[in-house]
Amino acid sequence: MSQTIAHAFLFDVDGVITDPAEKKVTQKGLIEAIAERLDSDEVVTLNTGRSISWLSEKGIFRELETSVKDKSKLSNFIAIGEKGGTWQAYEAGTWKNHIDESIEVPLELQDRIRRLIEERFSDLMFFDESKLTMISTEMIDGKSITEFSEKQKDLVEEMNRILLDPDYKNLNLRIDPTTIATDIQNAHVGKHLGARKIADWIQSKGIKPEHFITVGDSQSDTDMAEELQDDYPVEFVFVGDPEKLDSSRLHCPIIFTKARYSAGALEYLKSL
Ligand SMILES: [Mg+2]
């Protein structure tokens, strides 16, 4: 038996749920507005490159748990981390963590990159120990993005050299440099993988959303809408700088909010 609901939400986290600079939830009323959606039987999901333990540290699960009126409604919530590699869901009254065993990076490679960061890049970057299925190195909070991006070029070059090592070169690993991070990941992970896992999860629960609302602040977030737009009724809500968005691959409706980032996410939820 299938149950029709109005909306399923797929939220990016950095810059949508959390403030991009402060890296935590700062928007008053946002988690409450999300909890209201769960209380009215809708589906809420997160799709991020962050680790599940990072989300937990930021108090996102705890706040959600205290904001819903009926805790059993959390069964319609799932958080996908590490670009599809890990996830946390509320199952049988408790949080359960999962990992995609098919996605991993070798321990020796992790050690090599950790050493590289410590020896040559530790003035600007740190090695993210919380990741389970990928390697993530990040800019230290408060450092200059200009200085970071300059040094990031050296890091990417060094990483490229290491990935040519016979032990690694057939593993299908990819380097993903972003504004504040440089990742080494399995070539098939990404926002599209997270979105696909979310859609399959919703389907497995027998839930039929009338609208799949994907919400993001970066170009890579369009991958969520692109992945699902041919199979489901999808909308893309963009809360970042509209001038920086290339929407040429999307043929679903695109909504721009007046407010940016998490204020934009709240503005959109209130408009429904
Ligand atoms: Mg983001």
Side-chain angles (χ1 to χ4, degrees), residues 12-16 18 20 47-48 191 215-218 220-221 261:
D12 165 46
V13 174
D14 275 272
V16 173
T18 57
N47 186 9
T48 176
K191 291 275 170 162
V215 190
D217 71 316
S218 306
S220 64
D221 293 316
Y261 303 112

Side-chain angles (χ1 to χ4, degrees), residues 65-84:
E65 225 179 311
T66 54
S67 300
V68 284
K69 290 191 181 69
D70 176 357
K71 257 184 155 186
S72 72
K73 300 291 174 76
L74 288 169
S75 63
N76 278 357
F77 170 84
I78 194 169
I80 306 262
E82 303 191 26
K83 307 176 188 182

Side-chain angles (χ1 to χ4, degrees), residues 179-230:
T179 319
I180 57 156
T182 321
D183 298 340
I184 295 180
Q185 63 200 39
N186 198 284
H188 76 269
V189 306
K191 291 275 170 162
H192 59 285
L193 177 67
R196 182 54 64 182
K197 284 194 167 170
I198 287 167
D200 291 348
W201 175 77
I202 292 171
Q203 202 167 25
S204 76
K205 293 168 78 69
I207 296 174
K208 265 193 143 114
E210 286 167 341
H211 306 269
F212 281 72
I213 311 292
T214 56
V215 190
D217 71 316
S218 306
Q219 186 60 40
S220 64
D221 293 316
T222 61
D223 290 358
M224 296 196 266
E226 194 188 350
E227 174 72 19
L228 303 181
Q229 64 185 352
D230 293 325

Side-chain angles (χ1 to χ4, degrees), residues 89-202:
Y90 198 77
E91 295 163 7
T94 183
W95 293 111
K96 290 261 165 59
N97 282 290
H98 303 270
I99 181 163
D100 187 330
E101 307 281 354
S102 72
I103 302 169
E104 57 167 8
V105 282
L107 274 175
E108 318 85 76
L109 178 60
Q110 297 178 31
D111 289 341
R112 232 166 124 174
I113 302 297
R114 185 190 288 107
R115 271 203 312 276
L116 176 67
I117 296 293
E118 280 165 5
E119 285 164 12
R120 290 192 36 204
F121 299 93
S122 62
D123 52 333
L124 291 172
M125 309 174 196
F126 67 94
F127 182 93
D128 181 352
E129 297 287 350
S130 73
K131 298 285 170 89
L132 303 173
T133 60
M134 59 188 277
I135 292 174
S136 232
T137 67
E138 198 179 322
M139 184 179 81
I140 297 170
D141 292 4
K143 294 288 178 182
S144 135
I145 290 187
T146 326
E147 250 181 89
F148 171 79
S149 69
E150 200 46 48
K151 201 105 189 245
Q152 189 182 39
K153 290 179 200 148
D154 298 343
L155 176 63
V156 169
E157 200 175 298
E158 205 54 45
M159 283 176 164
N160 264 318
R161 206 178 51 75
I162 292 172
L163 290 185
L164 286 176
D165 186 300
D167 284 347
Y168 312 132
K169 73 171 187 213
N170 295 321
L171 294 179
N172 204 14
L173 297 170
R174 195 164 62 83
I175 300 169
D176 183 22
T178 66
T179 319
I180 57 156
T182 321
D183 298 340
I184 295 180
Q185 63 200 39
N186 198 284
H188 76 269
V189 306
K191 291 275 170 162
H192 59 285
L193 177 67
R196 182 54 64 182
K197 284 194 167 170
I198 287 167
D200 291 348
W201 175 77
I202 292 171

